[in-house]
């Protein structure tokens, strides 16, 4: 279902007051004292009486990480049609401002659901946290609503109308690092491959893999990549962590940290970006109704 021509025309003529209200609400949500909720993982050593004495952590390489990522992508190409999850993220905007930790329910139909792996992606989000955005709903589909995002805000001034936004426009991208269509575990793997290829032969990067790392109730592999010195570029990091589920061949989490500020009171590594997919359920049978603003279980006006 797409907005009619007359409806689209009305959308393009959103009163300046409404646009100003959206911008004002966005500014009010950004707090200068946002706390970094994510820190590097501290590995717990097994108890002395553990029966398995095989080292949990071993040396690896970027090449091996790329092999795992390629395997994960091939597995998704072969069988991942859709999924639901609880998506938790905290990252910095393009301007370097640390955003609040946010949490949302997601429903995603992937591009992998046809034989040529180019099915139109569809995404539904319902924000759970922080409190200022809890209840917000967003729907976007490559083949839906002329490519616009349907947004239902929860503030008193905006709750009466569905907003139609360009996913790469100023309002949709306010405080965001990536547009909505890059969300999801497929995009996570593809970005990992893209970044890993840049460091494939970099002697300044060392990699370890730790098995039996518990994540969301599952035993996973924790991959750590560390730089010995800054590499420069927009994707530079001092430490990157990847959680890989070897049973389902899925990457469930990615986080990266920058370099400590010598003028800061402590040596905490500043978070660059953190993305986690928890309560992940695959191939649940999502339908067109899950991406329809008239779905009676949603609150779109």
């Amino acid at each position: 279902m797409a907005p009619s021509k007359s409806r689209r025309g009305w959308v393009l003529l959103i009163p300046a007051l409404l646009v100003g209200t959206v911008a004002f609400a966005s500014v009010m949500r950004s707090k200068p004292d946002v706390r970094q909720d994510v820190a590097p993982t501290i590995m717990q050593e097994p108890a002395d009486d553990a029966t398995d004495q095989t080292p949990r952590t071993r040396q690896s390489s970027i090449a091996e990480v790329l092999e795992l990522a390629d395997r994960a992508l091939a597995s998704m190409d072969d069988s991942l049609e859709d999924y639901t999850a609880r998506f938790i993220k905290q990252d910095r905007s393009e301007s370097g401002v640390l955003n609040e930790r946010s949490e949302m329910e997601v429903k995603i139909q992937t591009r992998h659901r046809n034989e040529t792996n180019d099915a139109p992606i569809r995404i539904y989000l319902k924000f759970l946290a922080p409190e200022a955005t809890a209840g917000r709903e967003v729907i976007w589909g490559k083949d839906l609503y002329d490519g616009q995002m349907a947004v239902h805000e929860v503030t008193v001034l905006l709750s009466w109308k569905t907003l139609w936004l360009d996913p790469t426009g100023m309002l949709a991208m306010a405080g965001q690092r990536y547009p909505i269509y890059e969300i999801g575990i497929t995009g996570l793997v593809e970005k990992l491959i893209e970044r890993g290829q840049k460091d494939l032969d970099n002697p300044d990067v060392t990699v370890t893999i730790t098995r039996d790392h518990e994540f969301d109730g599952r035993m996973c592999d924790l991959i750590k990549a560390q730089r010995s010195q800054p590499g420069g570029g927009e994707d530079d990091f001092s430490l990157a962590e990847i959680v890989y589920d070897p049973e389902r061949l899925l990457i469930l989490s990615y986080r990266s940290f920058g370099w400590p500020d010598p003028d800061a009171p402590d040596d905490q590594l500043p978070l660059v970006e953190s993305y986690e997919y928890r309560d992940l359920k695959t191939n649940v049978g999502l339908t067109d109704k899950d991406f329809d603003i008239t779905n009676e279980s949603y609150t779109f006006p």
Side-chain angles (χ1 to χ4, degrees):
M1 184 183 86
S4 66
K5 290 184 179 179
S6 61
R7 183 178 180 187
R8 289 198 300 270
W10 185 91
V11 169
L12 294 174
L13 295 174
I14 294 175
L17 175 61
L18 181 57
V19 176
T21 303
V22 175
F24 177 75
S26 178
V27 170
M28 288 300 290
R29 290 194 189 99
S30 61
K31 300 179 180 179
D33 58 346
V34 171
R35 182 186 67 186
Q36 178 173 316
D37 291 299
V38 179
T41 303
I42 298 175
M43 303 307 302
Q44 298 294 327
E45 295 299 326
D48 292 339
D49 59 352
T51 56
D52 184 0
Q53 297 300 316
T54 306
R56 291 178 60 210
T57 301
R58 62 179 177 83
Q59 294 297 312
S60 181
S61 64
I62 292 292
E64 182 178 2
V65 174
L66 286 173
E67 289 177 8
L68 293 176
D70 285 336
R71 194 181 309 163
L73 189 58
S75 176
M76 290 189 289
D77 281 345
D78 184 59
S79 62
L80 185 63
E81 296 187 358
D82 60 52
Y83 57 92
T84 62
R86 183 164 50 91
F87 178 49
I88 304 169
K89 78 180 183 95
Q90 186 174 32
D91 56 15
R92 293 183 187 275
S93 67
E94 287 297 328
S95 62
V97 176
L98 181 64
N99 294 312
E100 287 184 274
R101 175 184 177 277
S102 63
E103 183 175 339
M104 59 200 82
E105 296 175 0
V106 301
K107 299 179 182 180
I108 296 180
Q109 282 185 323
T110 75
R111 70 163 196 248
H112 313 293
R113 65 185 191 279
N114 64 14
E115 292 183 358
T116 52
N117 289 302
D118 60 357
I121 300 169
R122 296 174 177 178
I123 298 168
Y124 167 81
L125 309 176
K126 182 175 182 179
F127 285 69
L128 306 175
E131 184 178 354
T133 59
R136 176 194 291 167
E137 291 178 293
V138 179
I139 291 178
W140 177 83
K142 188 175 182 180
D143 61 334
L144 301 176
Y145 309 122
D146 294 333
Q148 292 182 311
M149 283 170 48
V151 182
H152 178 218
E153 276 288 355
V154 293
T155 60
V156 174
L157 292 176
L158 299 176
S159 62
W160 58 277
K161 192 67 182 175
T162 297
L163 305 177
W164 298 92
L165 303 179
D166 176 353
T168 59
M170 180 182 67
L171 293 179
M173 290 297 297
Q176 302 303 311
R177 192 173 182 89
Y178 305 108
I180 187 172
Y181 49 75
E182 293 193 20
I183 197 174
I185 54 180
T186 299
L188 194 62
V189 173
E190 289 176 330
K191 281 196 175 296
L192 175 62
I193 293 173
E194 177 186 344
R195 293 175 181 180
Q197 288 173 339
K198 296 177 183 178
D199 283 319
L200 183 57
D201 298 314
N202 189 344
D204 296 329
V205 179
T206 58
V207 179
T208 61
I209 298 180
T210 301
R211 63 180 175 83
D212 296 336
H213 171 70
E214 185 174 354
F215 180 88
D216 199 32
R218 300 182 68 87
M219 289 295 106
C220 298
D221 292 340
L222 176 64
I223 303 168
K224 285 192 173 191
Q226 291 185 286
R227 289 189 192 277
S228 60
Q229 59 183 343
E234 61 180 359
D235 295 327
D236 192 22
F237 62 86
S238 65
L239 170 67
E241 296 185 348
I242 302 155
V243 175
Y244 175 72
D245 184 341
E247 180 180 350
R248 295 187 292 179
L249 301 181
L250 293 173
I251 289 176
L252 304 180
S253 173
Y254 173 83
R255 58 180 59 171
S256 68
F257 301 86
W259 299 87
D261 182 351
D263 298 325
D266 55 42
D267 59 354
Q268 181 184 43
L269 295 182
L271 177 69
V272 176
E273 50 188 337
S274 172
Y275 310 110
E276 299 181 3
Y277 291 87
R278 295 180 178 269
D279 304 326
L280 179 66
K281 297 178 177 59
T282 59
N283 296 332
V284 297
L286 298 177
T287 68
D288 291 351
K289 192 68 174 175
D290 290 290
F291 307 94
D292 188 341
I293 63 171
T294 66
N295 188 323
E296 59 276 4
S297 66
Y298 300 158
T299 58
F300 285 88

